[in-house]
Amino acid sequence: MFRIGEFSKIAQVSGRLLRYYDEIGLLSPKFTDQQTGYRFYSAQQLPELNRILVLKELGLSLEQIAQLPDRDTSIDVIRSILSIRKAQIEQSVHEELARLRQVETRLQQIEAYGQIQEPNVVLKSVPAQQFLALREVLPDIDAVKRLVQKINHFLPSKVGQSSLGHMAVVMHSPVYNPEALDLEIGYLITGKAPESVRLSEERLLTLRELFEIETMATLVHMGLVADTHQTYGALGAWIEQHDWQIVGTGREILLQLPQPDKTEEAVFEIQFPISKISSRLGA
């Protein structure tokens, strides 16, 4: 099982939201350690969490959701509500359409859970790597996109394309918070690079070494950035089902940045350092 910070990353919802749902009895941890107070969640709770998110996005209050006689509300019922809500959303602004996309992908997770083939998770060792990057707390995903684009356009001319590997993002946030994303963004270095490069008056990229990772669980996401939670959820479920546990900071390796005509589509590899649960318990 996952501690609350780890589960928030797998589910791509904030830790604050998970704590609130626990307080009101809407979604409680699978297990709470009475000695330490640590809360542990299971990937098997993803369908229940996604139902709550879907019903909330469709206009139901948390009180109404809590009063539903059957938490396992059928997909047909949810879809009938979705059809009504969709007709309303299609008349609203672009931001509402983006929210609809989130609802639809959460529904897909519910339907697909336990019914699809195992994701193509690859386990590999990752050597120590030089990383020219800057760390910043960003207010939303649009700010992340703008910073990625700025670094991508600026750095190759300053360092030289031959010295640059893929762009990468190191996720330092202990709990996923879409309004305060603590990220380190830059390029993996394959050749010579300066100790620092100034991106702007306020921003400085510095060179450091990413630690070697003995076992990294990786899964490639292809498609809309807004659908990232599906790939994170699939990777989290695989980690749990195979008796592994997250033991460090996650990374995203940007294999292909969005194209000008498809600004929302990208290809990147999600990475989590892991170890076998038995080895941690015996340590």
Side-chain angles (χ1 to χ4, degrees):
M1 292 187 289
F2 304 101
R3 289 175 60 172
I4 188 169
E6 296 167 346
F7 187 74
S8 75
K9 296 178 182 179
I10 295 303
Q12 292 285 277
V13 299
S14 71
R16 181 176 60 184
L17 186 67
L18 290 174
R19 291 188 182 93
Y20 180 62
Y21 284 175
D22 182 22
E23 289 174 5
I24 65 175
L26 199 57
L27 182 74
S28 298
K30 198 78 172 179
F31 170 75
T32 300
D33 190 311
Q34 298 301 318
Q35 291 184 335
T36 63
Y38 290 153
R39 310 173 191 190
F40 291 88
Y41 290 82
S42 166
Q44 296 176 4
Q45 293 178 278
L46 286 172
E48 184 180 358
L49 174 59
N50 285 324
R51 280 192 180 87
I52 294 170
L53 296 172
V54 165
L55 293 172
K56 183 173 178 291
E57 290 292 338
L58 293 177
L60 276 69
S61 68
L62 295 179
E63 292 76 13
Q64 291 172 322
I65 297 172
Q67 292 171 5
L68 287 175
D70 183 8
R71 287 284 177 84
D72 292 326
T73 308
S74 71
I75 297 300
D76 290 339
V77 171
I78 295 177
R79 283 204 172 278
S80 68
I81 303 173
L82 176 62
S83 297
I84 298 172
R85 180 61 171 159
K86 183 175 180 181
Q88 298 171 342
I89 292 177
E90 287 176 340
Q91 299 175 19
S92 69
V93 294
H94 174 75
E95 288 79 8
E96 288 296 307
L97 292 175
R99 291 178 62 195
L100 174 62
R101 178 62 186 174
Q102 286 287 327
V103 170
E104 291 176 337
T105 55
R106 293 288 183 179
L107 279 171
Q108 290 169 12
Q109 270 193 287
I110 295 171
E111 293 178 313
Y113 190 84
Q115 299 179 11
I116 59 176
Q117 294 182 347
E118 280 200 344
N120 188 26
V121 175
V122 175
L123 299 182
K124 58 186 177 183
S125 60
V126 176
Q129 297 170 290
Q130 294 296 305
F131 189 40
L132 183 59
L134 63 85
R135 181 174 175 178
E136 192 168 321
V137 178
L138 299 166
D140 53 46
I141 192 65
D142 288 335
V144 177
K145 293 177 184 177
R146 289 193 296 270
L147 183 53
V148 166
Q149 291 169 356
K150 188 170 185 178
I151 293 174
N152 178 54
H153 290 147
F154 177 83
L155 204 56
S157 62
K158 296 296 181 180
V159 177
Q161 191 66 56
S162 61
S163 294
L164 300 178
H166 291 298
M167 287 197 77
V169 179
V170 178
M171 297 166 287
H172 291 285
S173 304
V175 175
Y176 180 77
N177 183 351
E179 298 177 356
L181 298 163
D182 185 358
L183 305 175
E184 190 175 7
I185 303 173
Y187 267 96
L188 298 173
I189 300 300
T190 57
K192 294 183 178 179
E195 291 297 319
S196 64
V197 175
R198 186 161 294 281
L199 185 64
S200 66
E201 185 176 343
E202 303 83 14
R203 288 169 163 165
L204 182 70
L205 292 95
T206 57
L207 187 67
R208 77 175 183 92
E209 185 175 82
L210 294 178
F211 294 120
E212 175 185 4
I213 302 297
E214 181 179 348
T215 307
M216 189 82 88
T218 69
L219 183 60
V220 173
H221 174 86
M222 302 177 63
L224 296 176
V225 175
D227 294 348
T228 305
H229 60 274
Q230 292 182 308
T231 308
Y232 270 95
L235 181 56
W238 187 95
I239 290 171
E240 181 178 89
Q241 290 166 5
H242 290 79
D243 296 326
W244 294 89
Q245 193 158 0
I246 296 171
V247 292
T249 303
R251 305 175 186 176
E252 291 180 0
I253 308 301
L254 309 184
L255 304 177
Q256 179 178 304
L257 295 176
Q259 300 300 312
D261 58 336
K262 296 181 179 180
T263 57
E264 290 299 316
E265 295 192 8
V267 180
F268 54 91
E269 184 178 82
I270 298 169
Q271 300 183 341
F272 277 112
I274 58 174
S275 69
K276 276 292 185 181
I277 292 175
S278 57
S279 64
R280 291 191 71 193
L281 292 177

